[in-house]
């Protein structure tokens, strides 16, 4: 999930009251539809929630804004994660323990968001003038989890490690391990955690070997 540079934070949540209840109703309705495998439009959610289209579009000007709100709601505790260990590998595993069960629980929602992202790309291409639909929060989360390695790894090595781990941190993980390999959520998580640990150890070992070689020159 890359911590989205297009976030629902830009769509300020209304203060408690009728507006907040209407927004919550729309998000919960959209979430229910996405959990059933759909990627609903704002109009479709308005109809299902029995809210007028004009009202719905005041809260969510387009489908991307609505889906972002649903995804952020589904992410829940993942967005509040804070690493406590000073060891990068332990922090990454703790993040995975927090995030992966939640991603598995809302797999259909995250896959619906992924489908929308891919459809936007297929329809509009890289040259589109429409706002790019971005998903998730994995960049900031992984940068935080790996933060003890800043200074031990070069900037390029740090970024490469975060990028490598990002391949196994998100709903795409289950697209491969669950849909193709037919693993359970728990089994998929174990594979992901093993791979993440291996990547961290490899990066640290490689950096250490390079520093040792440099010191002998």
């Amino acid at each position: 999930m890359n911590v989205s540079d297009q976030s629902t934070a830009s769509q300020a949540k209304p203060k408690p009251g009728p507006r907040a209840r209407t927004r919550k109703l729309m998000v919960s309705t959209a979430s229910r539809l996405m959990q059933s495998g759909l990627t609903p439009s704002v109009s479709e959610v308005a109809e299902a929630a029995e809210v007028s289209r004009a009202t719905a579009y005041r809260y969510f000007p387009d489908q991307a804004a609505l889906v972002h709100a649903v995804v952020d709601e589904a992410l829940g505790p993942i967005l509040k994660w804070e690493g406590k260990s000073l060891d990068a590998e332990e922090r990454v595993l703790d993040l995975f323990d927090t995030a992966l069960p939640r991603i598995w629980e809302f797999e259909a929602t995250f896959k619906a968001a992924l489908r929308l992202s891919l459809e936007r790309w297929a329809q509009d291409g890289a040259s589109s003038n429409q706002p790019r639909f971005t998903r998730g929060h994995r960049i900031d989360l992984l940068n935080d989890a790996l933060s003890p390695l800043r200074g031990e790894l070069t900037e390029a090595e740090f970024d490469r490690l975060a990028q490598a781990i990002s391949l196994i941190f998100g709903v795409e993980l289950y697209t491969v391990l669950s849909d193709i390999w037919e693993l359970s959520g728990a089994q998929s998580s174990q594979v992901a955690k093993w791979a993440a640990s291996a990547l961290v150890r490899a990066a640290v070992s490689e950096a250490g070997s390079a520093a040792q070689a440099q010191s002998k020159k």
Side-chain angles (χ1 to χ4, degrees), residues 208-217:
S209 297
Q212 215 172 33
Q214 185 68 26
S215 66
K216 291 181 181 178
K217 290 185 179 179

Side-chain angles (χ1 to χ4, degrees), residues 53-71:
R53 291 186 181 183
T55 297
Y57 279 103
R58 281 201 294 272
Y59 291 97
F60 302 104
D62 55 36
Q63 186 184 37
L66 176 61
V67 171
H68 271 298
V70 175
V71 167

Side-chain angles (χ1 to χ4, degrees), residues 160-213:
R160 183 180 62 180
L161 176 58
Q163 290 157 5
I165 295 178
S166 73
L167 297 173
I168 51 172
F169 181 64
V171 74
E172 299 89 345
L173 161 74
Y174 297 115
T175 301
V176 175
L177 295 180
S178 175
D179 297 354
I180 297 176
W181 285 93
E182 299 182 350
L183 299 186
S184 67
Q187 290 171 324
S188 298
S189 295
Q190 288 303 314
V191 172
K193 289 167 62 178
W194 176 84
S197 289
L199 287 168
V200 172
R201 292 174 188 175
V204 170
S205 176
E206 186 178 289
S209 297
Q212 215 172 33

Side-chain angles (χ1 to χ4, degrees), residues 64-99:
L66 176 61
V67 171
H68 271 298
V70 175
V71 167
D72 279 357
E73 190 76 17
L75 287 170
I78 301 174
L79 300 181
K80 299 177 182 178
W81 178 85
E82 293 181 1
K84 295 179 175 60
S85 174
L86 298 179
D87 179 83
E89 183 179 345
E90 289 180 2
R91 288 168 70 92
V92 169
L93 294 179
D94 182 59
L95 173 60
F96 274 47
D97 281 336
T98 299

